[in-house]
Amino acid sequence: MNKHNTEVIETTLLRGQVKLLQPKIGFHASIDSVFLAAAVPVKDKYKVLDIGCGVGSVGLCVLARNKNISLTGIDIQPELIDLAHQNAGLNDVEDQARFFHGDIKTEKHTEDNSFNVVVMNPPYLEDGTHTPSPEKIKATSHGEGVSGASLADWIKYAHRKLKQGGHLTLIHRADRLDDVIVELEKKRWFGSVVVYPLWSHAGEDAKRVIIQARKERYAPIVLKSGMVIHREDGKYTQEADAILSDATAIIL
């Protein structure tokens, strides 16, 4: 238990390189978190902002690739921020990572136009298109309406926090790719969009896409060949295993 009386379990990502305390019941970090982290462009001294950071899974996986960055995470659920702080300690990155409770529609703690990279795994389900989970943490993580912030709100916040030319990297459902691109380009806030599909198995439709865009940089959209995650026998492909086990980067 922790101070919010949330029952927790300890799990790992990246073959034990990242240790995570997570709520026993509710949304759990998954391979989506690892693939998203792998696509984040990082260099020494970069300032990285993880929006909707949860227990810190994505940011901590980014730190596993480069310890010489500064990570900030924000989430609307205080019980998850509590765990994110503990996870920073578990992974010996307290000096590089800070997490805070806040609402992206009202938050004033972080400096605008100051981050090199913003990363986010926003709620996948549009308000009014699903029945929210009765479990609060899961419902907030999965649904825009429950979290109180729309996809447009997330992208607006990312634009405000990024430096000119900075990178936004996010993962979303493939069937909402059009929604994401429309929001990115609506006010010419973002351009130079790169789309990287993830296929569970060869021959299937993609269920997830990683999308990267740059603040006020404009080039034609690029559709990458993407990655197949599972072989026919259900095991990970060589490319997927390198990311999930060894923190190999996805170059977009």
Side-chain angles (χ1 to χ4, degrees), residues 175-188:
D175 61 4
R176 293 201 64 196
L177 175 60
D178 54 343
D179 294 336
V180 176
I181 292 175
V182 165
E183 291 300 339
L184 287 170
E185 297 183 343
K186 185 181 286 183
K187 297 183 180 179
R188 287 184 63 80

Side-chain angles (χ1 to χ4, degrees), residues 33-219:
S33 303
V34 183
F35 281 114
L36 174 58
V40 174
V42 286
K43 296 179 181 177
D44 287 354
K45 310 295 185 186
Y46 263 23
K47 292 178 65 178
V48 178
L49 174 63
D50 182 1
I51 306 175
C53 63
V55 300
S57 53
V58 176
L60 293 171
C61 286
V62 175
L63 273 167
R65 289 175 45 213
N66 189 328
K67 289 284 197 297
N68 299 314
I69 63 170
S70 167
L71 171 68
T72 300
I74 177 174
D75 201 279
I76 200 168
Q77 301 186 79
E79 60 270 39
L80 299 187
I81 291 298
D82 181 31
L83 291 173
H85 285 302
Q86 295 180 59
N87 288 333
L90 271 180
N91 292 280
D92 298 319
V93 292
E94 299 102 318
D95 292 341
Q96 295 99 317
R98 68 184 186 101
F99 301 99
F100 67 97
H101 170 237
D103 184 334
I104 61 172
K105 294 196 290 185
T106 58
E107 181 275 311
K108 298 286 193 300
H109 295 296
T110 56
E111 188 181 348
D112 291 349
N113 306 303
S114 64
F115 290 91
N116 303 98
V117 177
V118 167
V119 59
M120 63 190 195
N121 183 357
Y124 288 156
L125 301 171
E126 193 172 11
D127 193 23
T129 64
H130 71 294
T131 301
S133 168
E135 211 296 308
K136 175 179 170 286
I137 291 175
K138 190 170 187 177
T140 305
S141 300
H142 285 183
E144 289 179 8
V146 181
S147 72
S150 67
L151 178 61
D153 292 324
W154 285 66
I155 289 172
K156 179 180 181 180
Y157 183 74
H159 179 268
R160 201 168 85 230
K161 297 302 170 183
L162 276 170
K163 292 181 176 181
Q164 194 86 355
H167 289 82
L168 168 62
T169 307
L170 66 110
I171 191 166
H172 219 299
R173 285 170 33 147
D175 61 4
R176 293 201 64 196
L177 175 60
D178 54 343
D179 294 336
V180 176
I181 292 175
V182 165
E183 291 300 339
L184 287 170
E185 297 183 343
K186 185 181 286 183
K187 297 183 180 179
R188 287 184 63 80
W189 277 344
F190 289 95
S192 302
V193 176
V194 178
V195 179
Y196 188 95
L198 297 172
W199 288 276
S200 291
H201 297 88
E204 292 183 355
D205 293 342
K207 289 189 172 63
R208 297 283 184 269
V209 284
I210 296 170
I211 303 157
Q212 191 166 91
R214 298 187 67 190
K215 178 176 175 176
E216 293 166 29
R217 293 289 186 271
Y218 308 106

